[in-house]
PDB file of all heavy atoms in Angstrom:
ATOM      1  N   ASN A   1      98.187  15.236  53.993  1.00  0.00           N
ATOM      2  CA  ASN A   1      96.978  14.468  54.259  1.00  0.00           C
ATOM      3  C   ASN A   1      97.176  13.728  55.559  1.00  0.00           C
ATOM      4  O   ASN A   1      98.120  12.918  55.694  1.00  0.00           O
ATOM      5  CB  ASN A   1      96.682  13.486  53.129  1.00  0.00           C
ATOM      6  CG  ASN A   1      96.351  14.204  51.825  1.00  0.00           C
ATOM      7  OD1 ASN A   1      95.765  15.292  51.846  1.00  0.00           O
ATOM      8  ND2 ASN A   1      96.725  13.636  50.703  1.00  0.00           N
ATOM      9  N   ILE A   2      96.296  13.979  56.525  1.00  0.00           N
ATOM     10  CA  ILE A   2      96.505  13.488  57.886  1.00  0.00           C
ATOM     11  C   ILE A   2      95.422  12.493  58.258  1.00  0.00           C
ATOM     12  O   ILE A   2      94.220  12.769  58.084  1.00  0.00           O
ATOM     13  CB  ILE A   2      96.500  14.678  58.889  1.00  0.00           C
ATOM     14  CG1 ILE A   2      97.608  15.665  58.501  1.00  0.00           C
ATOM     15  CG2 ILE A   2      96.701  14.181  60.312  1.00  0.00           C
ATOM     16  CD1 ILE A   2      97.536  16.981  59.266  1.00  0.00           C
ATOM     17  N   THR A   3      95.836  11.362  58.772  1.00  0.00           N
ATOM     18  CA  THR A   3      94.897  10.353  59.276  1.00  0.00           C
ATOM     19  C   THR A   3      94.965  10.347  60.801  1.00  0.00           C
ATOM     20  O   THR A   3      96.049  10.284  61.385  1.00  0.00           O
ATOM     21  CB  THR A   3      95.252   8.948  58.730  1.00  0.00           C
ATOM     22  OG1 THR A   3      95.223   8.980  57.293  1.00  0.00           O
ATOM     23  CG2 THR A   3      94.249   7.916  59.234  1.00  0.00           C
ATOM     24  N   VAL A   4      93.806  10.442  61.405  1.00  0.00           N
ATOM     25  CA  VAL A   4      93.702  10.522  62.869  1.00  0.00           C
ATOM     26  C   VAL A   4      93.412   9.134  63.421  1.00  0.00           C
ATOM     27  O   VAL A   4      92.651   8.361  62.829  1.00  0.00           O
ATOM     28  CB  VAL A   4      92.591  11.516  63.270  1.00  0.00           C
ATOM     29  CG1 VAL A   4      92.421  11.568  64.783  1.00  0.00           C
ATOM     30  CG2 VAL A   4      92.918  12.901  62.728  1.00  0.00           C
ATOM     31  N   GLU A   5      94.002   8.802  64.556  1.00  0.00           N
ATOM     32  CA  GLU A   5      93.723   7.525  65.210  1.00  0.00           C
ATOM     33  C   GLU A   5      92.239   7.427  65.581  1.00  0.00           C
ATOM     34  O   GLU A   5      91.620   8.443  65.941  1.00  0.00           O
ATOM     35  CB  GLU A   5      94.558   7.386  66.473  1.00  0.00           C
ATOM     36  CG  GLU A   5      96.043   7.216  66.203  1.00  0.00           C
ATOM     37  CD  GLU A   5      96.845   7.135  67.503  1.00  0.00           C
ATOM     38  OE1 GLU A   5      96.237   7.357  68.585  1.00  0.00           O
ATOM     39  OE2 GLU A   5      98.063   6.882  67.430  1.00  0.00           O
ATOM     40  N   ALA A   6      91.683   6.234  65.508  1.00  0.00           N
ATOM     41  CA  ALA A   6      90.267   6.053  65.808  1.00  0.00           C
ATOM     42  C   ALA A   6      89.941   6.542  67.209  1.00  0.00           C
ATOM     43  O   ALA A   6      88.904   7.162  67.446  1.00  0.00           O
ATOM     44  CB  ALA A   6      89.896   4.575  65.657  1.00  0.00           C
ATOM     45  N   GLY A   7      90.821   6.271  68.164  1.00  0.00           N
ATOM     46  CA  GLY A   7      90.569   6.702  69.530  1.00  0.00           C
ATOM     47  C   GLY A   7      90.507   8.201  69.653  1.00  0.00           C
ATOM     48  O   GLY A   7      89.643   8.757  70.343  1.00  0.00           O
ATOM     49  N   ALA A   8      91.423   8.894  68.970  1.00  0.00           N
ATOM     50  CA  ALA A   8      91.421  10.364  69.022  1.00  0.00           C
ATOM     51  C   ALA A   8      90.197  10.937  68.342  1.00  0.00           C
ATOM     52  O   ALA A   8      89.580  11.903  68.811  1.00  0.00           O
ATOM     53  CB  ALA A   8      92.696  10.896  68.365  1.00  0.00           C
ATOM     54  N   GLN A   9      89.803  10.337  67.197  1.00  0.00           N
ATOM     55  CA  GLN A   9      88.613  10.811  66.495  1.00  0.00           C
ATOM     56  C   GLN A   9      87.357  10.517  67.303  1.00  0.00           C
ATOM     57  O   GLN A   9      86.451  11.328  67.401  1.00  0.00           O
ATOM     58  CB  GLN A   9      88.519  10.138  65.127  1.00  0.00           C
ATOM     59  CG  GLN A   9      87.477  10.759  64.204  1.00  0.00           C
ATOM     60  CD  GLN A   9      87.880  12.130  63.709  1.00  0.00           C
ATOM     61  OE1 GLN A   9      88.757  12.272  62.875  1.00  0.00           O
ATOM     62  NE2 GLN A   9      87.271  13.170  64.253  1.00  0.00           N
ATOM     63  N   GLY A  10      87.318   9.339  67.912  1.00  0.00           N
ATOM     64  CA  GLY A  10      86.140   8.945  68.667  1.00  0.00           C
ATOM     65  C   GLY A  10      85.873   9.807  69.871  1.00  0.00           C
ATOM     66  O   GLY A  10      84.738   9.896  70.340  1.00  0.00           O
ATOM     67  N   LYS A  11      86.903  10.464  70.393  1.00  0.00           N
ATOM     68  CA  LYS A  11      86.716  11.329  71.563  1.00  0.00           C
ATOM     69  C   LYS A  11      85.756  12.480  71.265  1.00  0.00           C
ATOM     70  O   LYS A  11      85.185  13.067  72.171  1.00  0.00           O
ATOM     71  CB  LYS A  11      88.064  11.879  72.028  1.00  0.00           C
ATOM     72  CG  LYS A  11      88.941  10.842  72.707  1.00  0.00           C
ATOM     73  CD  LYS A  11      90.288  11.451  73.123  1.00  0.00           C
ATOM     74  CE  LYS A  11      91.185  10.400  73.770  1.00  0.00           C
ATOM     75  NZ  LYS A  11      92.519  10.972  74.126  1.00  0.00           N
ATOM     76  N   VAL A  12      85.614  12.817  69.978  1.00  0.00           N
ATOM     77  CA  VAL A  12      84.692  13.892  69.597  1.00  0.00           C
ATOM     78  C   VAL A  12      83.292  13.603  70.121  1.00  0.00           C
ATOM     79  O   VAL A  12      82.603  14.487  70.626  1.00  0.00           O
ATOM     80  CB  VAL A  12      84.663  14.070  68.073  1.00  0.00           C
ATOM     81  CG1 VAL A  12      83.521  15.000  67.645  1.00  0.00           C
ATOM     82  CG2 VAL A  12      85.998  14.627  67.577  1.00  0.00           C
ATOM     83  N   ALA A  13      82.875  12.339  70.015  1.00  0.00           N
ATOM     84  CA  ALA A  13      81.516  11.980  70.471  1.00  0.00           C
ATOM     85  C   ALA A  13      81.337  12.291  71.946  1.00  0.00           C
ATOM     86  O   ALA A  13      80.313  12.832  72.375  1.00  0.00           O
ATOM     87  CB  ALA A  13      81.247  10.499  70.207  1.00  0.00           C
ATOM     88  N   ALA A  14      82.340  11.939  72.745  1.00  0.00           N
ATOM     89  CA  ALA A  14      82.262  12.220  74.182  1.00  0.00           C
ATOM     90  C   ALA A  14      82.260  13.719  74.456  1.00  0.00           C
ATOM     91  O   ALA A  14      81.527  14.200  75.334  1.00  0.00           O
ATOM     92  CB  ALA A  14      83.436  11.568  74.918  1.00  0.00           C
ATOM     93  N   GLU A  15      83.030  14.472  73.695  1.00  0.00           N
ATOM     94  CA  GLU A  15      83.085  15.928  73.870  1.00  0.00           C
ATOM     95  C   GLU A  15      81.741  16.565  73.556  1.00  0.00           C
ATOM     96  O   GLU A  15      81.293  17.480  74.239  1.00  0.00           O
ATOM     97  CB  GLU A  15      84.177  16.515  72.986  1.00  0.00           C
ATOM     98  CG  GLU A  15      85.598  16.135  73.430  1.00  0.00           C
ATOM     99  CD  GLU A  15      86.649  16.537  72.403  1.00  0.00           C
ATOM    100  OE1 GLU A  15      86.287  17.191  71.400  1.00  0.00           O
ATOM    101  OE2 GLU A  15      87.815  16.185  72.598  1.00  0.00           O
ATOM    102  N   VAL A  16      81.089  16.070  72.509  1.00  0.00           N
ATOM    103  CA  VAL A  16      79.766  16.602  72.145  1.00  0.00           C
ATOM    104  C   VAL A  16      78.766  16.321  73.248  1.00  0.00           C
ATOM    105  O   VAL A  16      78.024  17.220  73.678  1.00  0.00           O
ATOM    106  CB  VAL A  16      79.273  15.992  70.822  1.00  0.00           C
ATOM    107  CG1 VAL A  16      77.848  16.459  70.521  1.00  0.00           C
ATOM    108  CG2 VAL A  16      80.185  16.375  69.672  1.00  0.00           C
ATOM    109  N   VAL A  17      78.727  15.077  73.723  1.00  0.00           N
ATOM    110  CA  VAL A  17      77.768  14.717  74.775  1.00  0.00           C
ATOM    111  C   VAL A  17      78.023  15.505  76.031  1.00  0.00           C
ATOM    112  O   VAL A  17      77.076  15.965  76.692  1.00  0.00           O
ATOM    113  CB  VAL A  17      77.825  13.197  75.037  1.00  0.00           C
ATOM    114  CG1 VAL A  17      76.939  12.811  76.213  1.00  0.00           C
ATOM    115  CG2 VAL A  17      77.408  12.404  73.787  1.00  0.00           C
ATOM    116  N   ALA A  18      79.288  15.674  76.404  1.00  0.00           N
ATOM    117  CA  ALA A  18      79.616  16.403  77.630  1.00  0.00           C
ATOM    118  C   ALA A  18      79.207  17.882  77.508  1.00  0.00           C
ATOM    119  O   ALA A  18      78.719  18.478  78.477  1.00  0.00           O
ATOM    120  CB  ALA A  18      81.116  16.298  77.904  1.00  0.00           C
ATOM    121  N   ALA A  19      79.381  18.463  76.340  1.00  0.00           N
ATOM    122  CA  ALA A  19      79.053  19.883  76.155  1.00  0.00           C
ATOM    123  C   ALA A  19      77.552  20.104  76.031  1.00  0.00           C
ATOM    124  O   ALA A  19      77.025  21.150  76.421  1.00  0.00           O
ATOM    125  CB  ALA A  19      79.774  20.420  74.930  1.00  0.00           C
ATOM    126  N   GLY A  20      76.820  19.145  75.464  1.00  0.00           N
ATOM    127  CA  GLY A  20      75.385  19.262  75.323  1.00  0.00           C
ATOM    128  C   GLY A  20      74.979  20.463  74.471  1.00  0.00           C
ATOM    129  O   GLY A  20      75.507  20.691  73.385  1.00  0.00           O
ATOM    130  N   ALA A  21      74.056  21.259  74.993  1.00  0.00           N
ATOM    131  CA  ALA A  21      73.532  22.422  74.237  1.00  0.00           C
ATOM    132  C   ALA A  21      74.603  23.469  73.955  1.00  0.00           C
ATOM    133  O   ALA A  21      74.431  24.305  73.077  1.00  0.00           O
ATOM    134  CB  ALA A  21      72.372  23.061  75.010  1.00  0.00           C
ATOM    135  N   ALA A  22      75.712  23.409  74.696  1.00  0.00           N
ATOM    136  CA  ALA A  22      76.779  24.385  74.488  1.00  0.00           C
ATOM    137  C   ALA A  22      77.749  23.965  73.380  1.00  0.00           C
ATOM    138  O   ALA A  22      78.611  24.761  72.979  1.00  0.00           O
ATOM    139  CB  ALA A  22      77.575  24.572  75.784  1.00  0.00           C
ATOM    140  N   TYR A  23      77.589  22.730  72.843  1.00  0.00           N
ATOM    141  CA  TYR A  23      78.514  22.313  71.806  1.00  0.00           C
ATOM    142  C   TYR A  23      78.310  23.173  70.555  1.00  0.00           C
ATOM    143  O   TYR A  23      77.198  23.376  70.077  1.00  0.00           O
ATOM    144  CB  TYR A  23      78.324  20.840  71.432  1.00  0.00           C
ATOM    145  CG  TYR A  23      79.317  20.362  70.411  1.00  0.00           C
ATOM    146  CD1 TYR A  23      80.662  20.232  70.739  1.00  0.00           C
ATOM    147  CD2 TYR A  23      78.934  20.067  69.104  1.00  0.00           C
ATOM    148  CE1 TYR A  23      81.586  19.812  69.788  1.00  0.00           C
ATOM    149  CE2 TYR A  23      79.855  19.648  68.154  1.00  0.00           C
ATOM    150  CZ  TYR A  23      81.182  19.531  68.498  1.00  0.00           C
ATOM    151  OH  TYR A  23      82.090  19.124  67.557  1.00  0.00           O
ATOM    152  N   GLY A  24      79.422  23.651  70.019  1.00  0.00           N
ATOM    153  CA  GLY A  24      79.368  24.551  68.873  1.00  0.00           C
ATOM    154  C   GLY A  24      79.510  26.017  69.271  1.00  0.00           C
ATOM    155  O   GLY A  24      79.775  26.867  68.428  1.00  0.00           O
ATOM    156  N   HIS A  25      79.322  26.313  70.560  1.00  0.00           N
ATOM    157  CA  HIS A  25      79.475  27.687  71.027  1.00  0.00           C
ATOM    158  C   HIS A  25      80.960  28.010  71.200  1.00  0.00           C
ATOM    159  O   HIS A  25      81.780  27.119  71.444  1.00  0.00           O
ATOM    160  CB  HIS A  25      78.748  27.891  72.344  1.00  0.00           C
ATOM    161  CG  HIS A  25      77.265  27.890  72.201  1.00  0.00           C
ATOM    162  ND1 HIS A  25      76.426  28.663  72.970  1.00  0.00           N
ATOM    163  CD2 HIS A  25      76.431  27.206  71.371  1.00  0.00           C
ATOM    164  CE1 HIS A  25      75.164  28.461  72.628  1.00  0.00           C
ATOM    165  NE2 HIS A  25      75.149  27.578  71.653  1.00  0.00           N
ATOM    166  N   SER A  26      81.298  29.279  71.075  1.00  0.00           N
ATOM    167  CA  SER A  26      82.695  29.703  71.204  1.00  0.00           C
ATOM    168  C   SER A  26      82.726  31.116  71.742  1.00  0.00           C
ATOM    169  O   SER A  26      81.694  31.747  71.959  1.00  0.00           O
ATOM    170  CB  SER A  26      83.389  29.648  69.846  1.00  0.00           C
ATOM    171  OG  SER A  26      82.892  30.681  68.988  1.00  0.00           O
ATOM    172  N   GLU A  27      83.929  31.609  71.933  1.00  0.00           N
ATOM    173  CA  GLU A  27      84.132  32.999  72.329  1.00  0.00           C
ATOM    174  C   GLU A  27      84.770  33.793  71.191  1.00  0.00           C
ATOM    175  O   GLU A  27      85.463  34.778  71.426  1.00  0.00           O
ATOM    176  CB  GLU A  27      85.011  33.044  73.585  1.00  0.00           C
ATOM    177  CG  GLU A  27      84.291  32.662  74.859  1.00  0.00           C
ATOM    178  CD  GLU A  27      83.062  33.540  75.137  1.00  0.00           C
ATOM    179  OE1 GLU A  27      83.196  34.773  75.053  1.00  0.00           O
ATOM    180  OE2 GLU A  27      81.988  32.984  75.375  1.00  0.00           O
ATOM    181  N   LEU A  28      84.523  33.339  69.965  1.00  0.00           N
ATOM    182  CA  LEU A  28      85.077  34.003  68.791  1.00  0.00           C
ATOM    183  C   LEU A  28      84.744  35.503  68.799  1.00  0.00           C
ATOM    184  O   LEU A  28      85.596  36.340  68.483  1.00  0.00           O
ATOM    185  CB  LEU A  28      84.524  33.363  67.515  1.00  0.00           C
ATOM    186  CG  LEU A  28      84.909  33.997  66.198  1.00  0.00           C
ATOM    187  CD1 LEU A  28      86.381  33.721  65.904  1.00  0.00           C
ATOM    188  CD2 LEU A  28      84.033  33.474  65.046  1.00  0.00           C
ATOM    189  N   LEU A  29      83.513  35.847  69.159  1.00  0.00           N
ATOM    190  CA  LEU A  29      83.082  37.247  69.202  1.00  0.00           C
ATOM    191  C   LEU A  29      82.871  37.712  70.638  1.00  0.00           C
ATOM    192  O   LEU A  29      82.119  38.660  70.880  1.00  0.00           O
ATOM    193  CB  LEU A  29      81.791  37.415  68.387  1.00  0.00           C
ATOM    194  CG  LEU A  29      81.850  37.007  66.915  1.00  0.00           C
ATOM    195  CD1 LEU A  29      80.504  37.176  66.240  1.00  0.00           C
ATOM    196  CD2 LEU A  29      82.915  37.830  66.166  1.00  0.00           C
ATOM    197  N   GLY A  30      83.510  37.035  71.571  1.00  0.00           N
ATOM    198  CA  GLY A  30      83.364  37.389  72.971  1.00  0.00           C
ATOM    199  C   GLY A  30      83.752  38.844  73.220  1.00  0.00           C
ATOM    200  O   GLY A  30      84.757  39.340  72.698  1.00  0.00           O
ATOM    201  N   GLY A  31      82.917  39.536  74.011  1.00  0.00           N
ATOM    202  CA  GLY A  31      83.186  40.941  74.323  1.00  0.00           C
ATOM    203  C   GLY A  31      82.538  41.914  73.370  1.00  0.00           C
ATOM    204  O   GLY A  31      82.472  43.120  73.640  1.00  0.00           O
ATOM    205  N   GLU A  32      82.072  41.426  72.202  1.00  0.00           N
ATOM    206  CA  GLU A  32      81.416  42.321  71.246  1.00  0.00           C
ATOM    207  C   GLU A  32      79.947  42.491  71.591  1.00  0.00           C
ATOM    208  O   GLU A  32      79.248  41.523  71.876  1.00  0.00           O
ATOM    209  CB  GLU A  32      81.523  41.780  69.826  1.00  0.00           C
ATOM    210  CG  GLU A  32      82.895  41.944  69.212  1.00  0.00           C
ATOM    211  CD  GLU A  32      82.863  41.783  67.687  1.00  0.00           C
ATOM    212  OE1 GLU A  32      81.920  42.323  67.050  1.00  0.00           O
ATOM    213  OE2 GLU A  32      83.764  41.134  67.152  1.00  0.00           O
ATOM    214  N   LYS A  33      79.488  43.732  71.555  1.00  0.00           N
ATOM    215  CA  LYS A  33      78.081  44.036  71.801  1.00  0.00           C
ATOM    216  C   LYS A  33      77.463  44.434  70.456  1.00  0.00           C
ATOM    217  O   LYS A  33      77.823  45.454  69.882  1.00  0.00           O
ATOM    218  CB  LYS A  33      77.964  45.168  72.830  1.00  0.00           C
ATOM    219  CG  LYS A  33      76.566  45.384  73.349  1.00  0.00           C
ATOM    220  CD  LYS A  33      76.541  46.425  74.455  1.00  0.00           C
ATOM    221  CE  LYS A  33      75.104  46.639  74.955  1.00  0.00           C
ATOM    222  NZ  LYS A  33      75.050  47.675  76.022  1.00  0.00           N
ATOM    223  N   ILE A  34      76.550  43.602  69.971  1.00  0.00           N
ATOM    224  CA  ILE A  34      76.025  43.761  68.606  1.00  0.00           C
ATOM    225  C   ILE A  34      74.518  43.995  68.622  1.00  0.00           C
ATOM    226  O   ILE A  34      73.778  43.283  69.316  1.00  0.00           O
ATOM    227  CB  ILE A  34      76.347  42.515  67.757  1.00  0.00           C
ATOM    228  CG1 ILE A  34      77.854  42.276  67.696  1.00  0.00           C
ATOM    229  CG2 ILE A  34      75.777  42.655  66.348  1.00  0.00           C
ATOM    230  CD1 ILE A  34      78.264  41.045  66.923  1.00  0.00           C
ATOM    231  N   ASN A  35      74.077  44.987  67.873  1.00  0.00           N
ATOM    232  CA  ASN A  35      72.657  45.267  67.692  1.00  0.00           C
ATOM    233  C   ASN A  35      72.229  44.749  66.328  1.00  0.00           C
ATOM    234  O   ASN A  35      72.837  45.082  65.303  1.00  0.00           O
ATOM    235  CB  ASN A  35      72.382  46.764  67.796  1.00  0.00           C
ATOM    236  CG  ASN A  35      70.916  47.110  67.620  1.00  0.00           C
ATOM    237  OD1 ASN A  35      70.377  47.083  66.524  1.00  0.00           O
ATOM    238  ND2 ASN A  35      70.269  47.471  68.717  1.00  0.00           N
ATOM    239  N   VAL A  36      71.196  43.918  66.293  1.00  0.00           N
ATOM    240  CA  VAL A  36      70.663  43.415  65.029  1.00  0.00           C
ATOM    241  C   VAL A  36      69.255  43.963  64.853  1.00  0.00           C
ATOM    242  O   VAL A  36      68.343  43.587  65.574  1.00  0.00           O
ATOM    243  CB  VAL A  36      70.651  41.867  64.983  1.00  0.00           C
ATOM    244  CG1 VAL A  36      70.211  41.388  63.593  1.00  0.00           C
ATOM    245  CG2 VAL A  36      72.004  41.296  65.332  1.00  0.00           C
ATOM    246  N   GLU A  37      69.095  44.899  63.926  1.00  0.00           N
ATOM    247  CA  GLU A  37      67.779  45.454  63.616  1.00  0.00           C
ATOM    248  C   GLU A  37      67.283  44.756  62.351  1.00  0.00           C
ATOM    249  O   GLU A  37      67.847  44.935  61.276  1.00  0.00           O
ATOM    250  CB  GLU A  37      67.860  46.962  63.391  1.00  0.00           C
ATOM    251  CG  GLU A  37      66.541  47.597  63.013  1.00  0.00           C
ATOM    252  CD  GLU A  37      66.728  48.883  62.220  1.00  0.00           C
ATOM    253  OE1 GLU A  37      67.676  49.635  62.509  1.00  0.00           O
ATOM    254  OE2 GLU A  37      65.934  49.118  61.300  1.00  0.00           O
ATOM    255  N   PHE A  38      66.231  43.946  62.505  1.00  0.00           N
ATOM    256  CA  PHE A  38      65.856  43.156  61.346  1.00  0.00           C
ATOM    257  C   PHE A  38      64.401  43.199  60.958  1.00  0.00           C
ATOM    258  O   PHE A  38      63.994  42.502  60.028  1.00  0.00           O
ATOM    259  CB  PHE A  38      66.328  41.710  61.500  1.00  0.00           C
ATOM    260  CG  PHE A  38      65.855  40.945  62.716  1.00  0.00           C
ATOM    261  CD1 PHE A  38      64.776  40.090  62.620  1.00  0.00           C
ATOM    262  CD2 PHE A  38      66.508  41.063  63.916  1.00  0.00           C
ATOM    263  CE1 PHE A  38      64.358  39.353  63.714  1.00  0.00           C
ATOM    264  CE2 PHE A  38      66.111  40.320  65.011  1.00  0.00           C
ATOM    265  CZ  PHE A  38      65.035  39.479  64.921  1.00  0.00           C
ATOM    266  N   ILE A  39      63.616  44.002  61.612  1.00  0.00           N
ATOM    267  CA  ILE A  39      62.313  44.340  61.050  1.00  0.00           C
ATOM    268  C   ILE A  39      62.066  45.802  61.331  1.00  0.00           C
ATOM    269  O   ILE A  39      62.208  46.259  62.471  1.00  0.00           O
ATOM    270  CB  ILE A  39      61.158  43.499  61.629  1.00  0.00           C
ATOM    271  CG1 ILE A  39      61.326  42.017  61.296  1.00  0.00           C
ATOM    272  CG2 ILE A  39      59.817  43.977  61.074  1.00  0.00           C
ATOM    273  CD1 ILE A  39      60.187  41.116  61.729  1.00  0.00           C
ATOM    274  N   SER A  40      61.717  46.534  60.302  1.00  0.00           N
ATOM    275  CA  SER A  40      61.323  47.934  60.443  1.00  0.00           C
ATOM    276  C   SER A  40      59.979  48.058  59.750  1.00  0.00           C
ATOM    277  O   SER A  40      59.867  47.893  58.542  1.00  0.00           O
ATOM    278  CB  SER A  40      62.362  48.844  59.761  1.00  0.00           C
ATOM    279  OG  SER A  40      61.956  50.180  59.819  1.00  0.00           O
ATOM    280  N   ALA A  41      58.927  48.294  60.552  1.00  0.00           N
ATOM    281  CA  ALA A  41      57.579  48.243  59.981  1.00  0.00           C
ATOM    282  C   ALA A  41      56.696  49.311  60.574  1.00  0.00           C
ATOM    283  O   ALA A  41      56.906  49.781  61.708  1.00  0.00           O
ATOM    284  CB  ALA A  41      56.959  46.861  60.240  1.00  0.00           C
ATOM    285  N   ASN A  42      55.687  49.684  59.789  1.00  0.00           N
ATOM    286  CA  ASN A  42      54.647  50.591  60.292  1.00  0.00           C
ATOM    287  C   ASN A  42      53.705  49.815  61.196  1.00  0.00           C
ATOM    288  O   ASN A  42      53.338  48.679  60.853  1.00  0.00           O
ATOM    289  CB  ASN A  42      53.836  51.195  59.133  1.00  0.00           C
ATOM    290  CG  ASN A  42      54.692  52.035  58.205  1.00  0.00           C
ATOM    291  OD1 ASN A  42      55.708  52.586  58.612  1.00  0.00           O
ATOM    292  ND2 ASN A  42      54.273  52.144  56.960  1.00  0.00           N
ATOM    293  N   PRO A  43      53.261  50.396  62.293  1.00  0.00           N
ATOM    294  CA  PRO A  43      52.294  49.694  63.168  1.00  0.00           C
ATOM    295  C   PRO A  43      50.876  49.931  62.676  1.00  0.00           C
ATOM    296  O   PRO A  43      49.962  50.186  63.455  1.00  0.00           O
ATOM    297  CB  PRO A  43      52.545  50.371  64.514  1.00  0.00           C
ATOM    298  CG  PRO A  43      52.912  51.780  64.161  1.00  0.00           C
ATOM    299  CD  PRO A  43      53.673  51.696  62.877  1.00  0.00           C
ATOM    300  N   THR A  44      50.702  49.824  61.359  1.00  0.00           N
ATOM    301  CA  THR A  44      49.416  50.171  60.750  1.00  0.00           C
ATOM    302  C   THR A  44      48.739  48.981  60.084  1.00  0.00           C
ATOM    303  O   THR A  44      47.706  49.138  59.453  1.00  0.00           O
ATOM    304  CB  THR A  44      49.610  51.273  59.705  1.00  0.00           C
ATOM    305  OG1 THR A  44      50.579  50.828  58.751  1.00  0.00           O
ATOM    306  CG2 THR A  44      50.082  52.567  60.347  1.00  0.00           C
ATOM    307  N   GLY A  45      49.347  47.802  60.223  1.00  0.00           N
ATOM    308  CA  GLY A  45      48.741  46.619  59.587  1.00  0.00           C
ATOM    309  C   GLY A  45      49.530  45.369  59.919  1.00  0.00           C
ATOM    310  O   GLY A  45      50.550  45.411  60.610  1.00  0.00           O
ATOM    311  N   PRO A  46      49.065  44.241  59.417  1.00  0.00           N
ATOM    312  CA  PRO A  46      49.731  42.967  59.692  1.00  0.00           C
ATOM    313  C   PRO A  46      51.126  42.899  59.041  1.00  0.00           C
ATOM    314  O   PRO A  46      51.394  43.601  58.070  1.00  0.00           O
ATOM    315  CB  PRO A  46      48.798  41.931  59.057  1.00  0.00           C
ATOM    316  CG  PRO A  46      47.500  42.629  58.869  1.00  0.00           C
ATOM    317  CD  PRO A  46      47.823  44.072  58.631  1.00  0.00           C
ATOM    318  N   LEU A  47      51.982  42.069  59.593  1.00  0.00           N
ATOM    319  CA  LEU A  47      53.298  41.825  58.999  1.00  0.00           C
ATOM    320  C   LEU A  47      53.138  40.996  57.745  1.00  0.00           C
ATOM    321  O   LEU A  47      52.312  40.081  57.688  1.00  0.00           O
ATOM    322  CB  LEU A  47      54.203  41.115  60.010  1.00  0.00           C
ATOM    323  CG  LEU A  47      54.481  41.926  61.278  1.00  0.00           C
ATOM    324  CD1 LEU A  47      55.215  41.055  62.291  1.00  0.00           C
ATOM    325  CD2 LEU A  47      55.298  43.177  60.961  1.00  0.00           C
ATOM    326  N   HIS A  48      53.948  41.272  56.725  1.00  0.00           N
ATOM    327  CA  HIS A  48      53.773  40.608  55.435  1.00  0.00           C
ATOM    328  C   HIS A  48      54.939  39.673  55.097  1.00  0.00           C
ATOM    329  O   HIS A  48      55.819  39.409  55.942  1.00  0.00           O
ATOM    330  CB  HIS A  48      53.568  41.645  54.326  1.00  0.00           C
ATOM    331  CG  HIS A  48      54.667  42.668  54.212  1.00  0.00           C
ATOM    332  ND1 HIS A  48      55.938  42.340  53.876  1.00  0.00           N
ATOM    333  CD2 HIS A  48      54.642  44.022  54.385  1.00  0.00           C
ATOM    334  CE1 HIS A  48      56.689  43.434  53.829  1.00  0.00           C
ATOM    335  NE2 HIS A  48      55.923  44.469  54.139  1.00  0.00           N
TER     336      HIS A  48
END
């Protein structure tokens, strides 16, 4: 069970603000080219 110093934990706030919209992004799947097909429909009527 690990307790982190307040200063070390508090740095997270600065890291989030500095990263902005990129916070949470990673290169976990970097280099992978993925196709997501998620609607297959007839062009004969409204989407349901």
Side-chain angles (χ1 to χ4, degrees):
N1 294 328
I2 302 170
T3 301
V4 177
E5 291 177 353
Q9 191 70 74
K11 287 179 182 178
V12 169
E15 291 170 5
V16 174
V17 174
Y23 183 69
H25 289 215
S26 70
E27 285 302 312
L28 176 72
L29 301 178
E32 285 197 42
K33 191 175 180 182
I34 302 177
N35 180 284
V36 186
E37 178 205 324
F38 57 98
I39 296 185
S40 177
N42 297 334
T44 55
L47 297 172
H48 56 64

